[in-house]
Amino acid sequence: MSGSKPDILWAPHHVDRFVVCDSELSLYHIDSAVSSELKAGSLRLSEETTATLLSINSDTPYMKCVAWYPKYDPECLLAVGQANGRVVLTSLGQDHNSKCKDLIGKEFVPKHARQCNTLAWNPLDSNWLAAGLDKHRADFSVLIWDISSKYAPETAVATEKVRLSAGDVEAGLVVTKPLYELGQNDACLSLCWLPRDQKLLLAGMHRNLAIFDLRNTSQKIFVNTKAVQGVTVDPYFHDRVASFYEGQVAIWDLRKFEKPVLTLTEQPKPLTKVAWCPTRTGLLATLTRDSNIIRLYDMQHTPTPIGDETEPTIIERSVQPCENYIASFAWHPTSQNRMVVVTPNRTMSDFTVFERISLAWSPVTSLMWACGRHLYECTEEGKASSLEKDIATKMRLRALSRYGLDTEQVWRNHLLAGNEDPQLKSLWYTLHFMKQYTEDMDQKLTGNKGPLVYTGIKSIVKSSLGTTESLRHSRSGSDRQADIIQYLSEERSLALQLCGWIKKGTDLDVEPFLNSLEQEGDWERAAAVALFNLDIRRAIQILNKGASSGKGDLNLNVVAMALSGYTDEKNSLWREMCSTLRLQLNNPYLCAMFAFLTSESGSYDGVLNNVAVRDRVAFACKFLNDAQLNRFIEKLTNEMKEAGNLEGILLTGLTKDGVDLMESYVDRTGDVQTASYCMLQGSPSDVLKDERVQYWIENYRNLLDAWRFWHKRAEFDIHRSKLDPSSKPLAQVFVSCNFCGKSISYSCSAIPHQGRGFSQYGVSGSPTKSKVTSCPGCRKPLPRCGSKSDEKVDLSKDKKLAQFNNWFTWCHNCRHGGHAGHMLSWFRDHTECPVSACSCKCMQLDTTGNLVPAETVQA
Amino acid sequence: MFVARSIAADHRDLIHDVSFDFHGRRMATCSSDQSVKVWDKSENGDWHCTASWKTHSGSVWRVTWAHPEFGQVLASCSFDRTAAVWEEIVGESNDKLRGQSHWVKRTTLVDSRTSVTDVKFAPKHMGLMLATCSADGVVRIYEAPDVMNLSQWSLQHEISCKLSCSCISWNPSSSRAHSPMIAVGSDDNSPNILAKVQIYEYNENTRKYAKAEALMTVSDPVHDIAFAPNLGRSFHILAVATKDVRIFTLKPLRKELTSSGGLTKFEIHIVAQFDNHNSQVWRVSWNITGTVLASSGDDGCVRLWKANYMDNWKCTGILKGNGSPVNGSSQQGIFNASLGSANTSLQNSLNGSSASR
């Protein structure tokens, strides 16, 4: 600490105070202040802390080094080493108690004046203060003073060698006789007391490190080295010492003091400070000159005295507490990894070195991380809006609400999904309509159109080529001029059905659809559909209804008015205005209505934008000719595939195109749940053999496993096996007689193909109620329940009536078993198998069995 | 909104790794105190330490769970140059009463001559396989041919990466269209050697792992690397923790387009790159669907990243390492990506690196 360069010291016991010393001593008090405004006179150290200047002490000029009194009381007592070798006790406390008063102002004066390099209080006997001085001929360079000594100097010495003021001498404030004198004919650069014993002092001398033993001052242990500056003992490992020289830090083990155990990578600039972290094991901070970086060395494990097997490992890190060069830093004595740094121009900042955090996500969305020695679990709490929810959370919730499993009212699945995603809504309606019409066709036995339904409108329309008849209609419903061509064919009407515009059958009545839209309050859409069915009156009626309904939009009346002014005239003002003004309408359906009314027959580009895909397709099926329709569908399909838009499933159906579309949906969202359930709709088809579909299904099952939704997975597997019989697992367990080896399940079953009668958890035996107690093959008795020996294991319970308690269960390890209920109650009190002489710990072996299905916990 | 709570970990030194089992009901932690702890989640959601034992004679860097299909199996790796495989055994009844379980060492893998920096079990469909990487730049892949006998592991592959390895990640995809693949990150400090992330793929023809890709744009030391759960996507997502957070997508080009050599060619895009940590990024971790990435950095913060429907990745949450919200704002602040950047510039950390491991 030379001249203007400030140093910094934390109070050893008053953890909110520190001293900055350059030419004077300034005591600061540190406050936490989260608020942005600063109190008058305080300095901001970090975003949470400010410092207030409490007092300044400029009584002691020529300061070279400062050391804080290590005991709690008196507080703010400091020893200052001066350029002339004197050590002065001074205080920064405002209120002086009596004990302190005696000490303050006391001076310890060496025989020959030379610079005092270092000071060290003995941590145990706090009356002892060691001072390290420069060399002066053959004089001693390490002096240990007793601050309690009242010893007044001989006047001769005082007047001759050191100029003392008479007053001081009289007051007994000057001490010239040290307790110990060490290090003759040498210089001392750094000092520290060894915590091992209060009488051991480690000193960095001119060319060596020396350990002085005050019990026997003639003896010292020393090792020759250049690294003699800044000796400091690891507070957690008392045999480990760091010292430095130029840019190099040496780590010593006092038990094998011959050479450093480790030297750290040399820095290009000379070091100015090296300090062990007082709150963390083996963390050393170093600072070099003209640098804004503090280097941290994390010594990863305690060095062993013997066995060089493991060289110490070091994780090196650098932190940059501030933009400017750092003059000095000081670790906070108790706050973990916290330090205050000071720059040459005395700006300070409070800074915490963060431990490196390792983290992991759990399968249920909680995040665990480890920071230092602590663990933190972070969970999503509170109701996040559906937009913020991650797909992982969504899929979990949907799985719990049995999403995808409503095979009767297929459209309801979008409600189970939370009724929040228009794409899912469209998808499940599409699948619902597809299912409905497949069933219709099956009933009517119209033959070959059935499988066609699930192939989507694209293939339906393709197959309709050439069968189309055209009808001319007038837009206004009047019979003045037939300027609209409508196209009809069986396939087109099927497509309209799939779009949901018309119900089953061939009558083209949209009225039920309009009514349902009206009920949902979807007035604009209803009006547009009515108009596209060339019923302008109905459209106006709908709009009026909409305007007058409870939360209706009054503007709808205005739209109705505009509609009623429709004219066929090509060059009318109405037409002109509608063409331009429609672009300003916000609602896409209103926009499309006017686009339709103002467009030329056969070119409906303006109509076919922005509205829902199903309405676009339905419109196209009505008004585009075969060539146009094909082009349009082709283009739209590709767009949907590109975007992974589920509305496009209407076009692609469950075909390879559909899988392509779903692939880009999964790529975009990760929603394998929807993908799996969607592909498992309808009839068994080739798409299920697609590798990608199999892969989605596998991934979804894996998710259910990870979430412990075992019942959900079972439901899913059952659902899947209905459509994909190849996915049925093969029989894993057979029950055979112990004596003759014949299958029992086969013989007692009434149904011939009951080979896979025993699944993992239960018995699905024959429906006969008669108890079979002996093997039908060899008539020897069947095994008995291991727990209740009086009851026989009844293998032929009715499938429907068999409660879980009556299920046959057994240990995979020892193969003993019995009724599930009996087994569970046995293992409530026992750990070993109920069969005597079997010491198998059946229940504990089953680690997954101990995991409760998550559905029951969280439902 | 994310809320963090503290758990008394009771490790005597730094915790280096946290790892969940397949179901998220069990957790393992490892530390510089040379021990591994296993934690079980109780019904009310609290974590209880059910086992704690000394595993190595050096800092334990990483711990990882095998799929429960193979039993309750852990692997750990350490500075002491070894990796070890541990199995929970059904103990005496008094163990159970004390709520403690017993873990035994099934094998020690001693092939490395230097610190073993990472260990990961291969995806379940590949069988019981284990990869380790070490500071001398070798990735080793072991296999237990008999899943019932965990004491026998044979060294199947040794991949020399030429650079000090710090982390590995298996591609979790179980699709038959994707060959087994492993990504390796290096913490090598020298700036002139490029490509600190290398990707190796198993070649059916040669039955060897060969370098399929090297991410040339990653030239700074890499501290962690993680493939996202594939979840049926047609491409792979790889997160890299280096001086910033980076997210890459690797789209396999169709086999027929690639040369007959057998190695898959990838179309690699960097989809996100964030320097919000303002310092070295230490760890990255994906959630179960690969849709949210968590990262931790030397700024002492944990950040969450999520892509919107346009595939734009954004920061959706920040928490400090001690669980408190950044900037003392308790409600909205933690979702605001821009907060925290002003103050963290003061808390910059540079050039974190590990030397002489």
Side-chain angles (χ1 to χ4, degrees):
Chain A
M1 185 188 59
S2 57
S4 64
K5 223 175 159 194
D7 198 358
I8 197 158
L9 282 118
W10 276 99
H13 294 287
H14 301 269
V15 292
D16 53 354
R17 292 183 190 191
F18 63 91
V19 153
V20 174
C21 35
D22 36 20
S23 55
E24 56 194 17
L25 298 167
S26 326
L27 178 68
Y28 289 91
H29 183 267
I30 202 158
D31 290 296
S32 59
V34 182
S35 60
S36 49
E37 71 266 21
L38 279 173
K39 275 184 284 177
S42 59
L43 301 158
R44 183 155 288 280
L45 294 193
S46 71
E47 58 170 15
E48 277 113 21
T49 52
T50 58
T52 324
L53 183 62
L54 291 182
S55 63
I56 294 180
N57 181 332
S58 45
D59 303 342
T60 44
Y62 317 116
M63 282 194 290
K64 279 289 156 193
C65 48
V66 182
W68 204 306
Y69 186 69
K71 287 281 157 70
Y72 186 81
D73 188 61
E75 60 175 308
C76 299
L77 179 69
L78 289 102
V80 178
Q82 290 174 309
N84 57 8
R86 288 182 180 207
V87 178
V88 182
L89 296 184
T90 185
S91 168
L92 285 155
Q94 288 92 341
D95 50 346
H96 302 225
N97 56 23
S98 56
K99 187 182 177 191
C100 197
K101 239 177 195 142
D102 289 346
L103 296 170
I104 287 162
K106 224 171 196 182
E107 290 190 31
F108 305 93
V109 186
K111 262 183 266 169
H112 303 280
R114 59 264 162 95
Q115 179 167 309
C116 178
N117 290 321
T118 177
L119 286 172
W121 292 95
N122 189 312
L124 294 169
D125 188 346
S126 58
N127 281 338
W128 290 10
L129 176 64
L133 304 153
D134 269 350
K135 187 176 168 174
H136 187 274
R137 294 193 201 117
D139 201 359
F140 296 95
S141 63
V142 180
L143 304 178
I144 296 167
W145 304 98
D146 183 353
I147 59 161
S148 62
S149 84
K150 298 254 194 262
Y151 192 81
E154 295 157 36
T155 25
V157 178
T159 44
E160 236 177 75
K161 296 269 157 69
V162 203
R163 268 157 252 131
L164 291 171
S165 67
D168 284 349
V169 181
E170 276 160 25
L173 281 172
V174 173
V175 179
T176 54
K177 175 87 177 132
L179 202 59
Y180 294 99
E181 289 174 309
L182 305 161
Q184 197 165 20
N185 199 7
D186 208 342
C188 176
L189 294 160
S190 60
L191 279 174
C192 77
W193 294 91
L194 295 182
R196 257 199 312 190
D197 190 294
Q198 61 164 10
K199 298 220 160 130
L200 291 182
L201 180 68
L202 176 68
M205 306 305 280
H206 178 51
R207 284 243 169 240
N208 58 58
L209 282 181
I211 299 174
F212 297 105
D213 190 341
L214 301 187
R215 292 163 294 197
N216 182 356
T217 47
S218 60
Q219 259 192 357
K220 66 170 185 184
I221 309 165
F222 72 96
V223 56
N224 289 326
T225 175
K226 281 182 175 174
V228 294
Q229 285 178 295
V231 288
T232 169
V233 181
D234 184 343
Y236 283 87
F237 186 74
H238 292 165
D239 286 319
R240 186 154 64 183
V241 169
S243 67
F244 66 91
Y245 162 73
E246 294 285 305
Q248 195 150 42
V249 177
I251 310 289
W252 306 82
D253 189 331
L254 297 182
R255 293 166 301 187
K256 40 173 191 177
F257 203 33
E258 308 82 43
K259 61 181 175 63
V261 282
L262 191 68
T263 48
L264 305 179
T265 2
E266 188 160 354
Q267 300 303 316
K269 285 176 189 161
L271 290 152
T272 55
K273 184 152 185 170
V274 168
W276 295 99
C277 176
T279 53
R280 246 281 303 279
T281 329
L283 184 66
L284 187 74
T286 68
L287 175 69
T288 61
R289 205 173 65 199
D290 300 339
S291 154
N292 56 2
I293 288 168
I294 290 176
R295 254 167 228 287
L296 300 169
Y297 299 88
D298 195 347
M299 310 207 177
Q300 272 299 322
H301 63 104
T302 27
T304 42
I306 31 168
D308 303 351
E309 281 299 311
T310 54
E311 69 261 41
T313 171
I314 288 173
I315 297 178
E316 186 185 330
R317 285 174 67 189
S318 307
V319 290
Q320 186 189 351
C322 59
E323 299 296 320
N324 298 324
Y325 287 155
I326 300 163
S328 186
F329 68 92
W331 289 106
H332 191 280
T334 51
S335 279
Q336 196 161 19
N337 288 3
R338 180 172 160 196
M339 60 166 71
V340 165
V341 298
V342 60
T343 60
N345 55 10
R346 296 192 66 167
T347 54
M348 295 165 285
S349 70
D350 186 353
F351 170 72
T352 301
V353 179
F354 296 105
E355 299 292 359
R356 290 190 151 163
I357 299 167
S358 58
L359 36 75
W361 277 102
S362 96
V364 290
T365 47
S366 76
L367 182 66
M368 183 71 77
W369 73 79
C371 183
R373 274 171 283 181
H374 303 282
L375 281 173
Y376 297 91
E377 187 181 30
C378 176
T379 43
E380 208 169 346
E381 272 178 25
K383 298 256 178 271
S385 77
S386 60
L387 283 173
E388 282 163 6
K389 263 189 217 149
D390 185 57
I391 190 68
T393 318
K394 281 187 189 169
M395 282 198 280
R396 252 171 70 84
L397 294 174
R398 285 173 188 173
L400 285 174
S401 67
R402 303 188 72 252
Y403 170 61
L405 286 169
D406 196 328
T407 48
E408 291 308 311
Q409 297 283 309
V410 177
W411 63 273
R412 284 182 52 84
N413 283 313
H414 97 263
L415 296 181
L416 298 174
N419 191 14
E420 57 194 13
D421 189 333
Q423 285 198 23
L424 289 186
K425 183 172 177 180
S426 167
L427 170 72
W428 288 109
Y429 269 103
T430 302
L431 293 171
H432 177 70
F433 294 136
M434 285 179 173
K435 175 173 178 286
Q436 239 176 18
Y437 300 118
T438 321
E439 281 166 5
D440 265 14
M441 303 236 174
D442 286 351
Q443 276 168 15
K444 286 194 222 151
L445 293 171
T446 40
N448 53 5
K449 291 272 169 24
L452 196 57
V453 175
Y454 276 104
T455 58
I457 287 178
K458 191 180 161 197
S459 1
I460 292 171
V461 162
K462 269 215 175 104
S463 69
S464 82
L465 287 179
T467 60
T468 313
E469 35 185 309
S470 52
L471 282 174
R472 291 188 157 266
H473 284 279
S474 149
R475 269 186 260 225
S476 52
S478 70
D479 42 16
R480 243 185 18 188
Q481 196 183 351
D483 61 345
I484 293 283
I485 305 165
Q486 273 197 55
Y487 298 90
L488 283 176
S489 72
E490 204 180 324
E491 286 79 8
R492 282 180 188 238
S493 87
L494 179 59
L496 284 180
Q497 289 178 36
L498 290 179
C499 292
W501 276 26
I502 54 175
K503 290 279 174 203
K504 50 188 103 172
T506 42
D507 54 331
L508 299 174
D509 186 12
V510 291
E511 202 50 41
F513 180 53
L514 292 180
N515 286 336
S516 73
L517 284 178
E518 278 182 328
Q519 259 166 30
E520 286 171 38
D522 207 348
W523 308 106
E524 291 90 350
R525 188 174 171 204
V529 173
L531 183 71
F532 296 157
N533 283 286
L534 307 179
D535 195 345
I536 205 164
R537 259 175 214 292
R538 180 80 174 102
I540 291 168
Q541 185 201 337
I542 290 168
L543 289 174
N544 284 331
K545 216 191 228 177
S548 55
S549 75
K551 50 194 171 182
D553 182 1
L554 285 175
N555 286 335
L556 291 180
N557 267 332
V558 181
V559 176
M561 214 148 46
L563 269 188
S564 58
Y566 169 68
T567 165
D568 282 343
E569 293 295 322
K570 284 271 185 299
N571 298 317
S572 67
L573 181 63
W574 184 92
R575 228 186 163 93
E576 197 182 313
M577 292 319 291
C578 284
S579 313
T580 50
L581 289 179
R582 75 176 174 88
L583 298 172
Q584 291 168 21
L585 288 169
N586 285 328
N587 188 296
Y589 282 101
L590 297 181
C591 189
M593 278 161 76
F594 288 105
F596 173 65
L597 289 176
T598 54
S599 60
E600 298 297 321
S601 180
S603 61
Y604 299 110
D605 288 346
V607 188
L608 296 168
N609 280 324
N610 295 327
V611 301
V613 170
R614 67 177 59 250
D615 294 327
R616 269 189 265 177
V617 173
F619 180 88
C621 286
K622 259 179 128 56
F623 296 108
L624 295 187
N625 65 33
D626 281 355
Q628 280 177 320
L629 180 61
N630 250 321
R631 248 195 335 269
F632 171 75
I633 297 281
E634 194 75 32
K635 184 165 157 269
L636 191 59
T637 308
N638 287 337
E639 271 173 31
M640 295 287 124
K641 271 164 75 173
E642 194 82 9
N645 187 334
L646 292 181
E647 293 180 70
I649 292 290
L650 178 70
L651 301 168
T652 63
L654 305 180
T655 58
K656 190 182 167 295
D657 272 345
V659 177
D660 288 346
L661 189 154
M662 197 54 90
E663 184 178 27
S664 48
Y665 172 75
V666 171
D667 282 354
R668 191 164 58 84
T669 61
D671 184 3
V672 279
Q673 185 181 41
T674 302
S676 305
Y677 277 117
C678 170
M679 291 301 157
L680 284 172
Q681 291 294 325
S683 50
S685 59
D686 287 341
V687 287
L688 285 177
K689 295 194 181 68
D690 192 300
E691 232 171 60
R692 290 170 290 179
V693 177
Q694 291 293 333
Y695 187 44
W696 296 331
I697 290 172
E698 188 193 322
N699 269 292
Y700 182 52
R701 292 175 76 229
N702 193 49
L703 279 182
L704 293 176
D705 279 348
W707 290 329
R708 294 174 297 124
F709 287 179
W710 289 312
H711 297 140
K712 301 289 175 227
R713 208 200 92 183
E715 278 181 281
F716 178 78
D717 284 350
I718 293 165
H719 176 70
R720 178 190 182 197
S721 61
K722 280 181 198 152
L723 280 162
D724 184 9
S726 64
S727 74
K728 262 184 196 160
L730 294 171
Q732 291 165 323
V733 177
F734 300 92
V735 177
S736 62
C737 173
N738 271 338
F739 299 99
C740 66
K742 276 188 189 159
S743 167
I744 294 164
S745 59
Y746 181 81
S747 357
C748 60
S749 133
I751 306 155
H753 61 280
Q754 268 287 331
R756 44 166 290 276
F758 296 82
S759 60
Q760 195 173 356
Y761 285 119
V763 175
S764 54
S766 83
T768 52
K769 291 253 174 174
S770 67
K771 281 195 177 183
V772 181
T773 54
S774 59
C775 169
C778 63
R779 305 278 168 202
K780 292 224 169 91
L782 283 176
R784 289 149 185 268
C785 174
S787 172
K788 302 275 157 79
S789 51
D790 55 320
E791 275 180 62
K792 309 235 161 48
V793 176
D794 184 2
L795 292 166
S796 54
K797 277 267 168 165
D798 189 308
K799 184 180 183 178
K800 287 220 171 97
L801 289 179
Q803 296 294 307
F804 176 71
N805 278 348
N806 296 333
W807 286 15
F808 175 53
T809 179
W810 67 96
C811 169
H812 282 262
N813 192 43
C814 66
R815 316 247 166 193
H816 297 130
H819 294 116
H822 298 151
M823 290 297 126
L824 283 176
S825 62
W826 172 267
F827 284 115
R828 230 165 270 144
D829 308 320
H830 303 81
T831 51
E832 289 187 354
C833 180
V835 174
S836 50
C838 177
S839 62
C840 176
K841 296 187 176 66
C842 314
M843 208 56 174
Q844 290 178 28
L845 286 171
D846 185 9
T847 44
T848 37
N850 293 335
L851 292 173
V852 190
E855 299 117 317
T856 54
V857 180
Q858 286 150 356
Chain B
M1 176 174 149
F2 282 89
V3 180
R5 63 197 175 93
S6 170
I7 297 164
D10 206 31
H11 269 292
R12 274 167 294 131
D13 208 335
L14 286 189
I15 300 171
H16 290 295
D17 199 15
V18 186
S19 166
F20 281 105
D21 79 335
F22 177 70
H23 296 294
R25 299 290 294 179
R26 312 193 88 185
M27 175 173 76
T29 54
C30 65
S31 156
S32 264
D33 66 11
Q34 313 185 350
S35 73
V36 165
K37 284 178 197 281
V38 172
W39 305 75
D40 281 280
K41 197 176 193 174
S42 66
E43 287 308 322
N44 56 14
D46 292 338
W47 289 96
H48 297 286
C49 180
T50 53
S52 171
W53 72 102
K54 183 175 186 289
T55 47
H56 289 274
S57 56
S59 291
V60 189
W61 300 129
R62 301 266 193 165
V63 63
T64 185
W65 291 87
H67 193 275
E69 196 170 276
F70 303 113
Q72 297 296 306
V73 180
L74 280 174
S76 60
C77 68
S78 162
F79 175 74
D80 71 3
R81 306 173 190 173
T82 65
V85 177
W86 308 86
E87 189 180 19
E88 187 179 33
I89 56 162
V90 176
E92 295 306 310
S93 48
N94 53 352
D95 268 357
K96 200 76 181 175
L97 288 179
R98 280 188 289 117
Q100 295 295 299
S101 61
H102 191 56
W103 290 76
V104 287
K105 189 193 271 188
R106 290 301 186 200
T107 196
T108 308
L109 306 170
V110 294
D111 300 277
S112 171
R113 307 306 308 146
T114 53
S115 170
V116 182
T117 48
D118 201 353
V119 62
K120 293 274 159 64
F121 281 104
K124 179 190 78 173
H125 67 276
M126 291 171 63
L128 191 50
M129 282 183 113
L130 186 67
T132 66
C133 73
S134 53
D136 57 3
V138 182
V139 173
R140 293 181 177 84
I141 296 171
Y142 299 88
E143 185 172 14
D146 174 12
V147 294
M148 298 305 288
N149 180 5
L150 292 173
S151 54
Q152 231 177 41
W153 291 81
S154 54
L155 179 58
Q156 295 284 330
H157 303 281
E158 260 190 325
I159 311 167
S160 176
C161 300
K162 312 263 187 331
L163 285 173
S164 161
C165 300
S166 56
C167 47
I168 45 177
S169 175
W170 287 97
N171 182 351
S173 169
S174 61
S175 165
R176 264 170 296 156
H178 305 140
S179 307
M181 194 200 284
I182 189 164
V184 186
S186 165
D187 58 358
D188 189 280
N189 249 330
S190 54
N192 46 359
I193 305 166
L194 294 169
K196 298 288 161 46
V197 175
Q198 299 174 3
I199 295 164
Y200 293 87
E201 194 190 43
Y202 184 67
N203 187 327
E204 288 292 346
N205 300 335
T206 59
R207 302 197 175 175
K208 280 202 169 89
Y209 281 85
K211 195 191 281 184
E213 287 291 344
L215 301 182
M216 300 305 281
T217 50
V218 185
S219 54
D220 295 284
V222 170
H223 307 295
D224 200 12
I225 193 165
F227 272 111
N230 179 274
L231 212 73
R233 290 185 192 88
S234 61
F235 53 86
H236 313 301
I237 311 175
L238 182 70
V240 176
T242 170
K243 64 174 188 196
D244 46 23
V245 180
R246 289 187 208 182
I247 302 170
F248 292 91
T249 57
L250 293 87
K251 191 170 179 65
L253 297 174
R254 305 251 180 247
K255 275 280 184 194
E256 52 265 34
L257 295 178
T258 61
S259 58
S260 54
L263 280 180
T264 318
K265 288 273 181 295
F266 294 95
E267 197 183 304
I268 299 179
H269 291 290
I270 179 159
V271 291
Q273 183 167 7
F274 296 109
D275 56 2
N276 298 39
H277 281 294
N278 255 316
S279 56
Q280 295 291 314
V281 181
W282 189 234
R283 287 294 168 86
V284 283
S285 171
W286 290 101
N287 73 340
I288 189 171
T289 47
T291 45
V292 184
L293 179 74
S295 66
S296 71
D298 276 354
D299 62 346
C301 291
V302 174
R303 277 160 215 267
L304 302 179
W305 312 96
K306 189 172 178 330
N308 66 3
Y309 63 98
M310 298 288 285
D311 209 26
N312 286 326
W313 288 82
K314 277 202 185 115
C315 182
T316 59
I318 314 176
L319 282 171
K320 278 191 183 166
N322 60 7
S324 65
V326 166
N327 263 13
S329 54
S330 55
Q331 267 136 46
Q332 290 302 310
I334 57 167
F335 275 114
N336 193 334
S338 64
L339 288 178
S341 57
N343 62 296
T344 46
S345 64
L346 284 179
Q347 299 171 345
N348 266 357
S349 302
L350 304 167
N351 265 335
S353 59
S354 63
S356 63
R357 261 192 183 178

